[in-house]
Amino acid sequence: MAPGVLIQNEKPDGHAISKNNVGDARSLVEAEKRLHPIVLKTFRLLIADLCQQFKGGHPGGAIGMAAIGVALWKYVMRYAPHTPDFFNRDRFILSNGHTCLFQYTFLHLTGYKAMTFDQLKSYHSERPDALCPGHPEIEHEGIEVTTGPLGQGVANAVGLAMATKHLAATFNRPGFDIVSNHTWCMIGDACLQEGVALEAISLAGHFRLNNLTIIYDNNQITCDGTVDLTNTENVNEKMKACGWNVVDIEDGNFDIIGIVNALENAKQSDKPTFINVRTVIGLGSKVAGTAVAHGAAFGPEDVANMKRANGFDPEAHFVIGDEVKSFFEGLPARGQGYVSEWDNLLSRYSEAHPELASRFRKRMTGEIDPVWRDLIPKPGAFPQKPTPTRASNGLCLNPIAKDVDSFMVGTADLSPSVHMSWPGMVDFQHPDLRPNCGINGDYTGRYIHYGVREHAMCAIANGLAAFAPDTIVPVTSSFFMFYLYAAPAVRMGALQRLHVIHAATHDSIGMGEDGPTHQPIELAALYRAMPNLLFFRPGDSEETAGAWTAAIEARGTPSIISTSRHAVPQLQGTRREGVARGAYVLQENERAAVTLLGVGAELSHAVDVAALLKDRGVEARVVSFPCQRLFGAQPKAYQRDVLRRHHAPAVVLEPYAPNGWERYADAAACVTRFGHSLPGKAAYKYFGFDAESLTEKVLRYLDMVKEDELLKHEFVEL
Amino acid sequence: MAPGVLIQNEKPDGHAISKNNVGDARSLVEAEKRLHPIVLKTFRLLIADLCQQFKGGHPGGAIGMAAIGVALWKYVMRYAPHTPDFFNRDRFILSNGHTCLFQYTFLHLTGYKAMTFDQLKSYHSERPDALCPGHPEIEHEGIEVTTGPLGQGVANAVGLAMATKHLAATFNRPGFDIVSNHTWCMIGDACLQEGVALEAISLAGHFRLNNLTIIYDNNQITCDGTVDLTNTENVNEKMKACGWNVVDIEDGNFDIIGIVNALENAKQSDKPTFINVRTVIGLGSKVAGTAVAHGAAFGPEDVANMKRANGFDPEAHFVIGDEVKSFFEGLPARGQGYVSEWDNLLSRYSEAHPELASRFRKRMTGEIDPVWRDLIPKPGAFPQKPTPTRASNGLCLNPIAKDVDSFMVGTADLSPSVHMSWPGMVDFQHPDLRPNCGINGDYTGRYIHYGVREHAMCAIANGLAAFAPDTIVPVTSSFFMFYLYAAPAVRMGALQRLHVIHAATHDSIGMGEDGPTHQPIELAALYRAMPNLLFFRPGDSEETAGAWTAAIEARGTPSIISTSRHAVPQLQGTRREGVARGAYVLQENERAAVTLLGVGAELSHAVDVAALLKDRGVEARVVSFPCQRLFGAQPKAYQRDVLRRHHAPAVVLEPYAPNGWERYADAAACVTRFGHSLPGKAAYKYFGFDAESLTEKVLRYLDMVKEDELLKHEFVEL
């Protein structure tokens, strides 16, 4: 099979795209149509067998989507099974991740080396090294993002398509479309109901991401029954209203030719495309078209009957005939053809545009320009006046974001609050957009207005980061409290080891008048417990620099840097190296009767309390504790030296639910109810977080433990 | 002013509605139109003054929405300022809660007693008892739900409208429309971007909630600039596609008559209505129509200029002229007229339908039929075979839900998984809906298919609960992991003291093959830290009964009952009274060298480990620990007696992040990474959670502390 021929096509907006030779795909699919029935049958029976093997899994959707898969993997998608990380490959996202066998089976058929026949059969097995988990996982060859929690994949796909647009606008030059891939996102009925997908769909239409196609497996079945139990909207009209090109496929079970045409046309659209493909879940089984086909094996009898009805031996399992094998066998070679073409293109580009090509290669390999270390203000270089740590965020990141192209910074509509913009920054926008407020942009832009869509923001950021490791380092921003809206996406970033940095502000009752709906009390407990996430609360500008340094260095780990709305003093002795260790001694005192653990926006309260305690004849040490996880990773000796709990009890001062601090402290001045709408200082006073009240609490605690020895071994809330 | 005349109107679907005498409202608004300019000016200048007073707050939106407010509070809404809890009042939800001054000022003008002039001026003050927090709060007179986190209010409004539909269908009889109120939801541009609102909008269209009207303050401004920076969709077409009636108001700044007409027409629609009202944010200020008008006071000079331009004295503040006062002064009397009319109707209804009226009055006052205590299976009455606790959920709740009308149970498309359906149950649906799967329903139905919309499910449940305390007790259900999608709504329920019960399943790595995306590791840490929420992990059927008992008794506190997918054994000695205390001794042992804390799906592991330890010569106590918050509320003596930490160290066994267990345990067998896709038993083994591995861990811990005394005072992860 000849590799597709690369064609240059100048689009009216000046962005060149390269694409398959469409004629080739369309003539090929016609030429091979006699093979399609056996391919589809084989695929569907294989799915039935794979679920029957261990009597579980999700057969129905994968079976229904067979023809879509053939259209994609055989005819339309540009990818290279033997070079899975080919930089300019099309990205395929299975947002309905429970149908993972669909993807695993095509990975096997198309020749991905890791997906051996044995591995394919590991689905639902007890093999701990299986490449076929219950939902696709990014760690495995051919999988672009981990999916499963519904709707996430749609937003990830939007991020991937934005990454392409951005890299293309930045690096492509006439005749050199070095970044030109398309993003294909498969969804089911459920993804269209999830808010995160609806947010992302709206934004994708706004950005006119014509390099993005959603393929809707419209089988009208979810777990509870037919979709019309819960959703009777006109989805096509809704998508059109959101700025999408909409195409219908009536016979999605068999019409491979129609699907190929629709997919090829999608690549020519000036908008993102939504292909509404009618399929039958569990086609050919006795539960076809019903919810029962969704999440359970069909049973041996039904599987045998399906085989009989399709002319297969009911006693033979996992059968892939020679005709079917040969149907797919040329795909690795075709893929290597794409790779060679592209390598050649990149060589010629390097000659024509050597400086640009050098930058591009660095970005490709995820090199973040090390100049970033020089751009963060040095110790002592910050303004010494009291500064909100949200402003410190900007002081740290903005010089980097301005000069280091890897960073794409965005906000969920809080630009005036988050301080994350820089002089000369360009918005990421469709170049033709002319907003009424006059802020134009184009796809080279690295500042993203996500709108009031916190959840999609973080899920899209995951997509930007998933394009290739550290090619783009996305930074999101919002109020800390609204990272609860985004939490499922933050989690997926941590699970996938995506390098995303979340700049959260207004992280304390000190944020004031907005009141309990905006004052985080329990949220830090979630992020401190979340695996593979660094959660920082820096105490001043110097500590903020430490948090950004650690977050940028933490390849493979996302971070949340959580900062204050209100000004906090610049403290003596804070140091970024201390932040890197999670906690450190800010004020040592050999005669200390108590260690105060100060955190983030309230670190200065700990310093003030230590001074007031001294006036009352009590010596105190102060430990700054910006990041529990980094401290937990320190050697035991360091931890003991910082905490010195065998010498004096430790009291943490943080106006949050104290859950988890019990590990490091004996008592807490904390807040275990929701907040209260008051100006910041008044709120601190109301909750006993002014220095005087805190001092009284610490003194009371020291008295209490004298009276009741048992309290020494019990965590006390003050 | 004459109270509106109640009219009976038989709708084609057989549901009678009662409404204002529309002619009255429309002729009144015409008759008073000469007063509208001074009323609007007065209102807008008052807002400017209220923000200027303490130099903060959100003036722009409230000023832009002035004419909408006059149309609502003066002409269209049926409410009673002096009987704020009038059962059949229209409900008004300010989803764009930051514009709270809009609502506070109308509450003052229309005569709500609590909202005195002094109180109105408390906005952004340091008064801890202010009724004007930065966002509306449910505790205060005239506020239906707490709003602020954007989009929530839309879903709450959907829940309130569903409550009306349900109560009307259940209790109204020909000639007796005792429940007939309308729900009005005010939104801004941002609410239309939030996923939770988009989910709820889709469902409201599906349910054809024609008693719900969204009024869109379309000022095309958000914090970052004009809305077209981030959203260029055709919102009217999108709403139509979602099954909504759409109406445009071109001059929303002044056209009170047009708005009144639109609002009155909305009450006649056969669909929910979306009124798209064009306004100018901060109208009349020098920053009118810009993002700057959104979240900051205008400055004294601009406020003075606004007054001059409108013929007001620039030196006079908070001016409400007599004409304006008299414009609003009849509203309390009108409201009391509505109340009397309705009281009379209820009296006649009680005569005509005494049994029904008796039931209705009980529901009105929030009486949950005490028979529920008899319906939960008694101790010993559960099947003794191993049972998934998700099935135990059904064994406990379904008999109650079947017979006690207060409960409305729903699921985010997981009916086959959550076991929460009962024989003869009726779905909540529009009565004309004929789903393809054949499951019809009507508005009397108490089983809600929310679709795959976890976040909206919980926010809608908040609305159902907010209709009146315990008139409806909503129960939601989904996989535990997806309560992360719903977390912002669960939080709002806890903040508002709404009695909602969330039945979460699949809460352990033991859920198996779905893998790390579905296995909760860190989520319990969030809910254990969340104020005013009870988070339960029951260990068997008996403990599940304890959890449901506590959750139903916990008026004013929502609960999550988190259960297993897989079967767990029925244990000796578990008891519901123990669950009520949060933790209790399951197996006492005076010679114990260690206390094992067992939790939920893994409680039986603790029992098994105790037996294996005995074989190894180590005596152990076992404490069952289903609810940290309830245990934390016990007297210190009880806590010490249960834990006995001065006698032996405690080791908690839970395959979750251990954050927070440090308070009650010295060590944990826990999981601090994400999960792994394996069959349930294999997953337990993989993470060292089989009894043998756990036993080794406990033995190793006991050895470790012998070698290093300091470890006794440090929490150890095993």
Side-chain angles (χ1 to χ4, degrees):
Chain A
M1 199 177 326
V5 176
L6 206 71
I7 288 183
Q8 302 306 329
N9 179 17
E10 285 292 331
K11 295 276 286 184
D13 65 1
H15 293 289
I17 59 159
S18 72
K19 55 178 172 32
N20 260 321
N21 186 327
V22 174
D24 267 12
R26 290 184 182 166
S27 55
L28 189 62
V29 67
E30 282 286 354
E32 294 182 340
K33 70 181 175 189
R34 68 164 189 87
L35 292 168
H36 294 163
I38 186 65
V39 171
L40 292 175
K41 284 178 190 181
T42 299
F43 180 89
R44 287 174 167 137
L45 293 172
L46 198 47
I47 301 291
D49 274 341
L50 288 166
C51 287
Q52 197 51 49
Q53 183 185 204
F54 296 109
K55 302 183 182 56
H58 289 84
I63 284 174
M65 287 146 55
I68 298 168
V70 173
L72 280 168
W73 271 280
K74 180 67 197 285
Y75 298 110
V76 178
M77 275 205 296
R78 292 171 62 91
Y79 63 99
H82 288 182
T83 310
D85 292 338
F86 168 42
F87 193 77
N88 196 36
R89 70 191 180 277
D90 283 359
R91 265 61 171 182
F92 174 79
I93 313 302
L94 189 72
S95 188
N96 49 345
H98 55 275
T99 68
C100 56
L101 272 184
F102 170 74
Q103 188 165 10
Y104 300 153
T105 303
F106 278 110
L107 291 181
H108 172 70
L109 292 170
T110 59
Y112 281 79
K113 290 178 180 170
M115 192 57 80
T116 61
F117 203 46
D118 270 358
Q119 270 293 354
L120 182 61
K121 289 195 288 182
S122 72
Y123 178 70
H124 273 229
S125 76
E126 298 198 354
R127 275 183 74 163
D129 67 341
L131 300 182
C132 296
H135 295 88
E137 295 181 4
I138 193 170
E139 291 80 3
H140 306 316
E141 221 181 77
I143 307 294
E144 303 294 352
V145 292
T146 301
T147 53
L150 294 164
Q152 296 291 329
V154 174
N156 300 157
V158 171
L160 285 160
M162 286 168 64
T164 297
K165 282 289 181 199
H166 175 68
L167 294 171
T170 305
F171 291 107
N172 289 1
R173 289 296 179 269
F176 296 103
D177 285 338
I178 54 169
V179 184
S180 61
N181 71 304
H182 199 90
T183 296
W184 309 95
C185 180
M186 191 81 231
I187 68 168
D189 293 287
C191 285
L192 289 171
Q193 297 180 26
E194 290 285 9
V196 61
L198 298 174
E199 293 177 4
I201 282 168
S202 173
L203 191 59
H206 172 77
F207 285 145
R208 297 189 227 171
L209 300 175
N210 65 343
N211 58 342
L212 170 64
T213 300
I214 285 182
I215 306 159
Y216 168 30
D217 175 37
N218 183 351
N219 62 33
Q220 285 292 305
I221 294 293
T222 60
C223 296
D224 276 15
T226 48
V227 167
D228 55 1
L229 269 181
T230 58
N231 201 3
T232 41
E233 67 194 16
N234 184 329
V235 65
N236 282 2
E237 291 303 315
K238 189 174 176 182
M239 295 301 293
K240 284 180 198 164
C242 290
W244 288 61
N245 172 38
V246 173
V247 181
D248 282 300
I249 299 287
E250 293 303 332
D251 174 14
N253 295 320
F254 299 105
D255 183 10
I256 294 175
I257 295 176
I259 299 169
V260 167
N261 275 321
L263 297 172
E264 288 292 349
N265 288 341
K267 293 204 266 187
Q268 313 306 317
S269 170
D270 59 351
K271 302 173 181 174
T273 296
F274 177 76
I275 307 184
N276 185 336
V277 189
R278 275 74 172 180
T279 67
V280 173
I281 192 169
L283 184 77
S285 75
K286 99 178 163 264
V287 292
T290 74
V292 182
H294 166 76
F298 297 143
E301 194 182 339
D302 195 18
V303 175
N305 283 336
M306 287 172 74
K307 289 178 185 168
R308 281 185 202 104
N310 286 286
F312 278 59
D313 175 359
E315 302 303 320
H317 304 297
F318 310 111
V319 172
I320 306 175
D322 289 342
E323 227 174 3
V324 174
K325 283 182 182 159
S326 70
F327 182 80
F328 289 104
E329 75 187 352
L331 298 181
R334 180 184 70 181
Q336 291 313 106
Y338 295 147
V339 174
S340 307
E341 267 174 46
W342 189 78
D343 286 345
N344 289 335
L345 181 69
L346 189 58
S347 297
R348 288 184 279 116
Y349 175 74
S350 301
E351 285 164 26
H353 304 282
E355 189 277 334
L356 202 57
S358 161
R359 272 175 55 210
F360 178 72
R361 286 178 194 273
K362 285 179 181 168
R363 294 290 297 281
M364 256 183 75
T365 54
E367 180 184 323
I368 301 172
D369 189 339
V371 74
W372 73 265
R373 291 181 188 278
D374 304 322
L375 294 169
I376 286 193
K378 293 279 176 299
F382 287 104
Q384 281 308 298
K385 66 176 181 196
T387 307
T389 45
R390 62 175 163 147
S392 311
N393 262 352
L395 296 173
C396 293
L397 179 68
N398 297 341
I400 299 174
K402 179 171 178 292
D403 286 349
V404 180
D405 279 3
S406 308
F407 290 88
M408 287 187 85
V409 181
T411 183
D413 192 47
L414 286 169
S415 295
S417 297
V418 295
H419 291 258
M420 306 291 283
S421 46
W422 61 90
M425 78 180 190
V426 175
D427 281 3
F428 177 90
Q429 293 283 12
H430 188 281
D432 293 348
L433 184 80
R434 293 290 170 270
N436 284 315
C437 57
I439 313 172
N440 301 328
D442 60 52
Y443 289 139
T444 69
R446 293 187 293 105
Y447 192 83
I448 304 169
H449 295 280
Y450 285 102
V452 191
R453 304 176 177 107
E454 297 84 3
H455 194 175
M457 170 174 72
C458 292
I460 289 170
N462 288 343
L464 288 168
F467 190 85
D470 276 325
T471 295
I472 292 170
V473 181
V475 178
T476 78
S477 63
S478 183
F479 290 168
F480 181 45
M481 197 62 245
F482 299 122
Y483 280 95
L484 187 57
Y485 274 60
V490 175
R491 180 182 211 263
M492 290 300 291
L495 173 57
Q496 294 177 77
R497 310 190 62 77
L498 297 172
H499 195 199
V500 180
I501 304 174
H502 306 287
T505 71
H506 293 57
D507 79 340
S508 160
I509 54 170
M511 63 88 70
E513 298 87 346
D514 278 340
T517 57
H518 286 52
Q519 292 166 350
I521 298 295
E522 75 284 28
L523 186 53
L526 172 68
Y527 287 122
R528 285 173 177 148
M530 189 174 280
N532 194 39
L533 181 88
L534 299 179
F535 174 77
F536 297 94
R537 291 193 74 210
D540 66 0
S541 296
E542 172 64 15
E543 286 204 351
T544 306
W548 280 99
T549 303
I552 294 172
E553 285 175 346
R555 313 283 173 105
T557 296
S559 298
I560 296 178
I561 299 174
S562 182
T563 57
S564 73
R565 176 192 182 204
H566 61 287
V568 297
Q570 305 306 308
L571 297 167
Q572 287 290 327
T574 50
R575 40 183 218 279
R576 61 193 72 189
E577 298 76 16
V579 177
R581 306 194 75 167
Y584 62 100
V585 179
L586 185 64
Q587 295 183 358
E588 194 47 280
N589 186 328
E590 290 302 325
R591 290 161 301 148
V594 64
T595 298
L596 303 175
L597 307 185
V599 193
E602 292 81 29
L603 175 58
S604 70
H605 298 224
V607 173
D608 294 345
V609 169
L612 291 176
L613 284 171
K614 197 177 175 70
D615 295 344
R616 304 281 290 270
V618 174
E619 302 286 335
R621 309 166 68 233
V622 179
V623 167
S624 176
F625 214 134
C627 181
Q628 288 185 357
R629 174 139 302 131
L630 288 177
F631 186 67
Q634 298 305 308
K636 192 52 100 183
Y638 178 80
Q639 294 186 14
R640 287 177 174 172
D641 199 45
V642 168
L643 294 175
R644 297 182 63 187
R645 287 174 79 184
H646 43 295
H647 295 297
V651 180
V652 63
L653 314 178
E654 187 178 45
Y656 281 179
N659 307 45
W661 280 117
E662 299 94 337
R663 182 176 300 217
Y664 304 114
D666 302 278
C670 55
V671 175
T672 57
R673 47 156 285 190
F674 288 108
H676 196 77
S677 172
L678 280 171
K681 275 193 184 171
Y684 275 131
K685 192 156 184 64
Y686 182 80
F687 283 103
F689 260 80
D690 55 307
E692 293 73 20
S693 303
L694 289 170
T695 304
E696 293 304 326
K697 288 179 186 184
V698 173
L699 290 169
R700 194 166 67 242
Y701 173 69
L702 295 175
D703 285 344
M704 281 164 71
V705 288
K706 277 181 206 152
E707 285 165 29
D708 182 351
E709 274 285 316
L710 286 181
L711 284 179
K712 278 194 185 168
H713 306 292
E714 289 169 354
F715 189 78
V716 179
E717 292 178 4
L718 304 170
Chain B
M1 199 176 326
V5 177
L6 206 71
I7 287 183
Q8 303 306 332
N9 179 17
E10 285 292 331
K11 295 276 286 183
D13 65 1
H15 293 289
I17 60 159
S18 70
K19 55 181 173 27
N20 259 321
N21 186 325
V22 173
D24 268 13
R26 290 183 182 168
S27 55
L28 190 63
V29 66
E30 282 284 354
E32 294 181 341
K33 70 181 176 188
R34 69 166 186 87
L35 292 168
H36 293 163
I38 185 65
V39 171
L40 292 176
K41 284 178 189 180
T42 299
F43 180 88
R44 287 173 167 138
L45 294 171
L46 199 46
I47 301 291
D49 274 341
L50 287 166
C51 287
Q52 197 51 49
Q53 183 186 204
F54 296 109
K55 303 184 182 58
H58 289 85
I63 284 174
M65 287 146 56
I68 298 168
V70 173
L72 280 168
W73 270 281
K74 180 67 196 286
Y75 298 111
V76 178
M77 275 204 297
R78 293 170 63 90
Y79 64 100
H82 289 181
T83 310
D85 292 337
F86 168 41
F87 193 77
N88 196 36
R89 69 190 180 278
D90 283 359
R91 264 62 170 181
F92 174 79
I93 313 302
L94 190 72
S95 189
N96 49 344
H98 54 275
T99 69
C100 56
L101 271 183
F102 170 74
Q103 188 165 11
Y104 300 152
T105 304
F106 279 110
L107 291 181
H108 172 70
L109 292 170
T110 58
Y112 280 79
K113 289 178 180 171
M115 192 57 80
T116 61
F117 202 46
D118 270 358
Q119 269 294 355
L120 182 61
K121 289 195 290 182
S122 72
Y123 177 71
H124 273 229
S125 76
E126 297 197 355
R127 276 183 71 164
D129 67 340
L131 299 183
C132 295
H135 295 88
E137 295 180 5
I138 192 171
E139 290 80 3
H140 305 317
E141 223 180 76
I143 308 294
E144 302 295 352
V145 292
T146 301
T147 52
L150 294 165
Q152 296 290 328
V154 174
N156 300 157
V158 171
L160 285 159
M162 286 168 65
T164 296
K165 282 287 180 201
H166 174 68
L167 294 170
T170 305
F171 291 107
N172 288 1
R173 290 295 178 271
F176 297 103
D177 285 339
I178 54 169
V179 184
S180 61
N181 71 303
H182 199 89
T183 297
W184 308 96
C185 180
M186 190 83 230
I187 67 168
D189 293 287
C191 286
L192 288 171
Q193 297 179 29
E194 290 284 10
V196 61
L198 298 174
E199 292 176 6
I201 282 168
S202 174
L203 191 58
H206 171 77
F207 284 145
R208 297 188 228 172
L209 300 175
N210 64 342
N211 58 344
L212 170 65
T213 299
I214 285 182
I215 307 160
Y216 167 31
D217 175 38
N218 182 351
N219 62 33
Q220 286 292 306
I221 293 294
T222 61
C223 297
D224 276 15
T226 47
V227 167
D228 55 1
L229 269 181
T230 57
N231 201 3
T232 41
E233 67 194 16
N234 185 329
V235 65
N236 282 3
E237 291 304 314
K238 189 174 175 180
M239 295 300 292
K240 284 180 197 164
C242 289
W244 288 61
N245 172 36
V246 173
V247 181
D248 281 300
I249 298 287
E250 294 302 331
D251 174 15
N253 295 319
F254 298 106
D255 183 10
I256 294 175
I257 295 176
I259 298 169
V260 168
N261 275 322
L263 297 172
E264 287 293 349
N265 289 341
K267 293 204 269 189
Q268 313 307 318
S269 171
D270 60 350
K271 302 172 181 175
T273 295
F274 177 77
I275 307 184
N276 185 337
V277 190
R278 275 73 171 181
T279 67
V280 173
I281 193 169
L283 184 76
S285 75
K286 122 182 143 247
V287 291
T290 74
V292 183
H294 166 79
F298 297 145
E301 195 183 336
D302 194 17
V303 175
N305 284 336
M306 288 172 74
K307 289 177 184 168
R308 282 185 201 103
N310 286 287
F312 279 58
D313 176 358
E315 302 302 319
H317 304 296
F318 311 109
V319 171
I320 306 175
D322 289 342
E323 229 175 0
V324 174
K325 283 182 182 158
S326 70
F327 182 79
F328 289 104
E329 74 187 353
L331 298 182
R334 181 184 70 182
Q336 291 313 106
Y338 295 148
V339 175
S340 307
E341 267 174 46
W342 188 79
D343 285 345
N344 289 336
L345 181 69
L346 188 58
S347 296
R348 288 184 280 117
Y349 175 73
S350 302
E351 286 164 28
H353 303 283
E355 188 277 333
L356 203 58
S358 161
R359 271 175 55 209
F360 178 70
R361 285 178 195 273
K362 284 179 181 167
R363 295 289 299 280
M364 256 182 77
T365 55
E367 180 184 323
I368 301 172
D369 188 339
V371 74
W372 72 265
R373 290 181 189 279
D374 304 323
L375 294 169
I376 286 193
K378 294 278 176 297
F382 286 104
Q384 281 308 297
K385 66 175 182 195
T387 308
T389 45
R390 61 175 165 149
S392 312
N393 262 353
L395 295 174
C396 293
L397 179 68
N398 296 341
I400 300 175
K402 178 170 180 292
D403 285 349
V404 181
D405 279 2
S406 309
F407 290 88
M408 287 187 84
V409 180
T411 183
D413 192 47
L414 285 169
S415 294
S417 297
V418 295
H419 291 258
M420 306 292 282
S421 45
W422 61 90
M425 78 179 190
V426 175
D427 281 3
F428 178 90
Q429 292 284 12
H430 188 283
D432 293 350
L433 184 80
R434 293 290 171 270
N436 284 315
C437 55
I439 313 173
N440 301 328
D442 60 53
Y443 289 139
T444 69
R446 295 188 292 104
Y447 191 83
I448 304 168
H449 296 280
Y450 285 102
V452 191
R453 303 178 177 106
E454 297 85 3
H455 194 175
M457 170 174 70
C458 292
I460 288 170
N462 287 343
L464 288 168
F467 189 86
D470 275 326
T471 294
I472 292 169
V473 181
V475 177
T476 77
S477 63
S478 183
F479 290 168
F480 181 46
M481 198 60 246
F482 299 122
Y483 281 95
L484 187 57
Y485 274 61
V490 175
R491 180 180 210 262
M492 290 301 289
L495 173 58
Q496 294 177 77
R497 309 190 63 75
L498 297 172
H499 195 199
V500 180
I501 303 173
H502 305 288
T505 71
H506 293 56
D507 79 340
S508 160
I509 53 170
M511 64 88 72
E513 298 88 347
D514 278 340
T517 57
H518 287 54
Q519 292 165 350
I521 298 295
E522 75 283 28
L523 187 53
L526 172 68
Y527 287 121
R528 285 174 176 148
M530 189 173 280
N532 193 39
L533 181 88
L534 298 180
F535 173 76
F536 297 94
R537 291 193 74 211
D540 64 2
S541 296
E542 172 63 14
E543 286 203 350
T544 306
W548 280 98
T549 303
I552 295 172
E553 285 175 344
R555 313 283 173 108
T557 296
S559 297
I560 296 177
I561 299 174
S562 182
T563 57
S564 73
R565 176 192 182 202
H566 61 286
V568 298
Q570 306 305 309
L571 297 167
Q572 287 291 327
T574 50
R575 39 183 219 279
R576 60 194 73 190
E577 299 75 17
V579 177
R581 306 194 77 168
Y584 63 100
V585 180
L586 184 65
Q587 295 182 358
E588 193 48 280
N589 187 328
E590 291 303 324
R591 289 163 300 148
V594 64
T595 298
L596 303 175
L597 307 185
V599 193
E602 292 81 28
L603 175 58
S604 69
H605 298 225
V607 173
D608 294 344
V609 169
L612 290 176
L613 284 172
K614 198 178 175 71
D615 295 345
R616 305 282 289 269
V618 174
E619 301 286 334
R621 310 166 67 235
V622 179
V623 167
S624 176
F625 214 135
C627 180
Q628 288 186 357
R629 174 139 301 133
L630 288 176
F631 185 69
Q634 297 306 309
K636 190 55 96 183
Y638 178 79
Q639 293 185 15
R640 287 177 175 171
D641 200 44
V642 169
L643 294 175
R644 297 182 62 188
R645 287 174 77 183
H646 43 297
H647 294 296
V651 179
V652 63
L653 314 180
E654 187 179 43
Y656 281 180
N659 306 47
W661 280 119
E662 299 94 336
R663 182 177 300 218
Y664 305 115
D666 302 279
C670 56
V671 175
T672 57
R673 47 156 284 188
F674 288 108
H676 197 78
S677 172
L678 280 171
K681 276 194 183 168
Y684 275 131
K685 192 154 184 66
Y686 182 80
F687 284 103
F689 260 80
D690 56 305
E692 293 72 19
S693 303
L694 289 170
T695 304
E696 292 304 325
K697 289 180 185 184
V698 173
L699 289 169
R700 194 165 67 242
Y701 173 68
L702 294 175
D703 284 344
M704 282 164 71
V705 289
K706 276 181 207 152
E707 284 165 29
D708 183 352
E709 274 284 316
L710 285 180
L711 283 179
K712 278 196 183 166
H713 307 292
E714 289 169 354
F715 188 78
V716 179
E717 291 177 4
L718 304 171

